[in-house]
Amino acid sequence: MSEPRTTKQNNSLHEGLKNLANTFNDAGLDMKKVLKPGVDIPWTKASAKEFLFNPISMVMFDGRTSSQLDTVETQDVWKVMIRHTGEKHGVTVDWPSQQNGGKA
C-alpha cells in the first residue's frame, strides 16, 4: 500500500472537486442533467465528492471513501472520474497542481 494521503493531496482533491463543480455549472450541466432529472441542483465541491468521487472510490477500493484512500488510490479514482465525465458530458478538469494554479 502507498503512503496515506497527504494534507497537500487532500487540499488538491478538494480544489479539483470545486473546479469540477464550477466547470459543470458553467457548462449548464447541473446535477439534474448529470445525475437526477426533475430538479435544477447546482454542483458544489461537496456534491461532486458525494455523488461522483466517493461512489467511484467505493467501487474501486472495497467500500472506502476519499478519507480512507492513499496517495495512489486518490489519483486512480480521479482519473476514472474525469474519464467518465469527459466521455459522458465533455467535461474534464485537471488535477490541481502548483503549475496550473492549484494547491498541490
Side-chain angles (χ1 to χ4, degrees):
M1 189 161 137
S2 298
E3 296 293 316
R5 194 169 75 212
T6 65
T7 300
K8 283 175 68 172
Q9 190 173 38
N10 190 58
N11 290 341
S12 288
L13 172 61
H14 289 128
E15 179 77 10
L17 291 168
K18 180 182 81 175
N19 294 343
L20 179 61
N22 290 336
T23 302
F24 270 132
N25 291 330
D26 291 346
L29 295 168
D30 62 22
M31 288 180 66
K32 171 183 72 176
K33 295 219 188 307
V34 177
L35 297 175
K36 303 281 183 199
V39 178
D40 293 337
I41 308 168
W43 284 98
T44 65
K45 173 180 70 176
S47 63
K49 186 176 184 180
E50 181 178 349
F51 294 104
L52 293 172
F53 190 90
N54 278 340
I56 293 168
S57 170
M58 291 175 70
V59 170
M60 289 178 67
F61 296 107
D62 300 319
R64 291 186 290 139
T65 59
S66 63
S67 63
Q68 300 162 318
L69 300 180
D70 66 31
T71 57
V72 172
E73 292 166 338
T74 300
Q75 293 286 318
D76 290 345
V77 174
W78 185 266
K79 290 173 189 172
V80 168
M81 180 182 71
I82 293 303
R83 185 181 69 233
H84 168 73
T85 61
E87 290 171 356
K88 183 133 178 124
H89 302 287
V91 172
T92 61
V93 174
D94 292 333
W95 179 264
S97 68
Q98 291 175 337
Q99 290 79 23
N100 65 19
K103 297 179 181 180

